[in-house]
Amino acid sequence: MNKYDEIKEKHQKIVNDFPMKFAFSDEQFNQGMKELGLDPKDTDKVVSIGGGGFIRKTDAKRFGEMWDTLRKEHNDLIKADKTGEGYIKDMFVSELENHEYGYTYELDDTLDALELTREQIANSPTLKHGLELARKEVLHKESEVDYEYE
């Protein structure tokens, strides 16, 4: 597993452990409220986090702090990669593969997932270098795939 995938897995565990619920029906909402220790009628005690998700209002500050911490760790690892050949390359390889770059040759979904713009890439030698290394690696892996089946 590459360094980016390790960090992403670690971050996902932190997010999964946060007390939040998702509901797409009244029944799911009522169950989620109970799991958060609230009465389903206490709608004034929760706040939406988008996508059907909600948290207790009392957890809102901690929720924001959690995301700030995760972003900071990710950005610190980017800054620490002085060549683009470590964490940055791993980051791009992972997200390019996740967004099927070897098939689509499309970067936008990858950049969106990483909260990066084409301008940021163009203005950063390490990001630019890491992306080029990752693109080559992903395309090389794709060219090695044998689609012949017997």
Side-chain angles (χ1 to χ4, degrees):
M1 182 180 305
N2 73 31
K3 181 69 174 173
Y4 174 77
D5 288 339
E6 288 175 19
I7 295 300
K8 193 172 174 183
E9 189 175 291
K10 175 184 143 191
H11 287 183
Q12 188 62 56
K13 180 171 177 7
I14 291 167
V15 171
N16 290 348
D17 290 345
F18 196 89
M20 66 180 128
K21 298 297 170 189
F22 291 84
F24 304 99
S25 69
D26 289 342
E27 184 180 330
Q28 289 175 339
F29 179 77
N30 292 341
Q31 182 62 35
M33 290 290 282
K34 289 175 187 173
E35 290 173 9
L36 289 175
L38 300 171
D39 185 287
K41 295 176 186 167
D42 292 335
T43 56
D44 62 323
K45 294 181 180 176
V46 294
V47 61
S48 172
I49 56 170
F54 60 98
I55 60 174
R56 292 180 293 250
K57 278 186 181 178
T58 56
D59 291 334
K61 182 179 178 188
R62 195 166 58 93
F63 185 76
E65 290 169 346
M66 173 188 70
W67 285 108
D68 290 346
T69 299
L70 299 181
R71 280 191 190 95
K72 182 181 181 327
E73 182 176 14
H74 169 70
N75 289 330
D76 287 349
L77 288 164
I78 289 173
K79 288 176 191 162
D81 184 352
K82 301 301 183 193
T83 65
E85 297 173 8
Y87 182 81
I88 292 172
K89 181 187 75 85
D90 287 351
M91 167 184 84
F92 281 123
V93 166
S94 182
E95 292 301 338
L96 288 168
E97 289 176 344
N98 286 345
H99 294 93
E100 299 181 353
Y101 177 80
Y103 173 73
T104 66
Y105 293 85
E106 178 56 51
L107 282 176
D108 291 336
D109 290 340
T110 295
L111 297 182
D112 288 347
L114 294 170
E115 299 178 346
L116 292 171
T117 65
R118 290 177 185 269
E119 183 180 13
Q120 287 172 300
I121 304 293
N123 292 329
S124 169
T126 55
L127 288 174
K128 193 176 201 178
H129 182 62
L131 176 57
E132 282 309 308
L133 291 173
R135 288 168 85 173
K136 287 177 185 173
E137 183 175 318
V138 169
L139 292 175
H140 179 72
K141 285 179 189 176
E142 187 69 22
S143 70
E144 289 182 338
V145 174
D146 182 6
Y147 293 105
E148 295 293 324
Y149 299 104
E150 295 182 34

